[in-house]
Every structure is written in structure tokens, then in C-alpha cells.
Amino acid sequence: MSAIKGKHNKSTELRLRMAIVKSGLKGWVLHPSDIFGKPDIFFTKKKLAIFVDGCFWHGCKTCGHIPKTRSAFWRAKFERNQARALLVKGNLRKQSIKVMRVWEHVLTKPSKIAELVKAISKNEPLGKNGAIYERRRSKVKK
């Protein structure tokens, strides 16, 4: 697992980053070490932290799955990842920082990427309480 990159993943984070660059949005930084949880993208003036969650690693209900080998290990790992995401979200919200979580599969659809960039530019919540992109308390599929 040490060979798996956590940053600059072409199928996820880079797609969103390129869409933000194309749209001309300014005032963002990558992986700021001074922000709790080190969001993938952080808009300083908007106080908006964006995390791009891989469907496999974060237990997406739509397309995530638990491998058949060592399934107890993987189930526990995914649950820890989800618990950490909730901890980070709570901590950032206490600092008045908005949190947006984007599933990997959302970034495969150009229309969803455009919708996401538009919401970022207007600094508006997405969908019902951000539910289109922001994770609710989801359980890992068994």
C-alpha cells in the first residue's frame, strides 16, 4: 500500500484541479499543511476545504466494495477512514471552514464537475445540505 499515492491522483484530484484552473477561479492552495486534515484544495478567502475521496478507500456506497481476501482488515480500514473524515469535518467546521467532500465517481462526469465548479465559484452549498458531494454517515457495504 505504500506505493499508492495520496496526492496528485490523475483520475480524481487532478480532474477537479484542472476544471478549477480552466474556470479561472483564484485564491486556492493544494494540501495546505496548516489546515487540519490537509484538504486536497483549500480556498483561503472563501474558507472552503475540498477533499476528493476515492470510492474504494472511503467506502462509497455506489461503487466501493470490500475485497474478499482479508475482508475484516479492509472493513476496519474503511471504517477508520470514514471516522477520520467525520473528525476532520467537525474540527474544520468549529473553525468556520466549510467542508466539501467529492466522491471519485462524481469526477468522471463532466456535467457534475461543471456543477461543482459553479457551486465553488458562488460559494454556495450543493444540493440538499451539500448531499450531492458531501458524505453523509455512510456505512461500508458488507
Side-chain angles (χ1 to χ4, degrees):
M1 284 194 308
S2 64
I4 297 170
K5 290 183 175 184
K7 296 179 188 174
H8 312 299
N9 187 320
K10 289 188 189 229
S11 68
T12 54
E13 179 188 326
L14 191 58
R15 281 188 190 161
L16 177 59
R17 202 166 74 205
M18 296 317 300
I20 290 171
V21 168
K22 250 184 167 176
S23 73
L25 286 173
K26 305 273 188 235
W28 54 274
V29 292
L30 290 174
H31 311 285
S33 58
D34 59 333
I35 305 295
F36 185 76
K38 291 184 185 176
D40 295 309
I41 298 171
F42 182 70
F43 285 86
T44 313
K45 288 182 182 174
K46 296 176 186 271
K47 292 187 89 174
L48 173 66
I50 301 174
F51 295 89
V52 179
D53 291 345
C55 292
F56 176 75
W57 294 107
H58 293 270
C60 173
K61 284 183 175 182
T62 306
C63 44
H65 70 283
I66 296 177
K68 291 181 181 178
T69 55
R70 299 183 65 208
S71 58
F73 164 81
W74 286 109
R75 186 174 288 112
K77 173 128 182 91
F78 298 154
E79 288 172 357
R80 284 191 313 269
N81 287 349
Q82 291 174 352
R84 185 176 59 249
L86 289 173
L87 174 77
V88 167
K89 178 179 166 181
N91 189 301
L92 292 176
R93 285 201 170 161
K94 285 179 187 173
Q95 298 175 48
S96 300
I97 295 174
K98 294 176 193 148
V99 176
M100 191 180 291
R101 298 202 84 88
V102 182
W103 285 110
E104 175 184 15
H105 69 262
V106 170
L107 297 176
T108 61
K109 302 170 187 158
S111 62
K112 291 290 185 183
I113 295 172
E115 185 181 338
L116 176 61
V117 170
K118 183 178 176 184
I120 292 168
S121 68
K122 291 183 176 183
N123 207 19
E124 294 177 348
L126 297 163
K128 197 175 198 180
N129 299 323
I132 292 174
Y133 302 101
E134 190 175 289
R135 175 193 355 275
R136 293 183 186 158
R137 288 191 128 178
S138 62
K139 294 287 182 186
V140 177
K141 281 199 272 188
K142 294 182 180 182

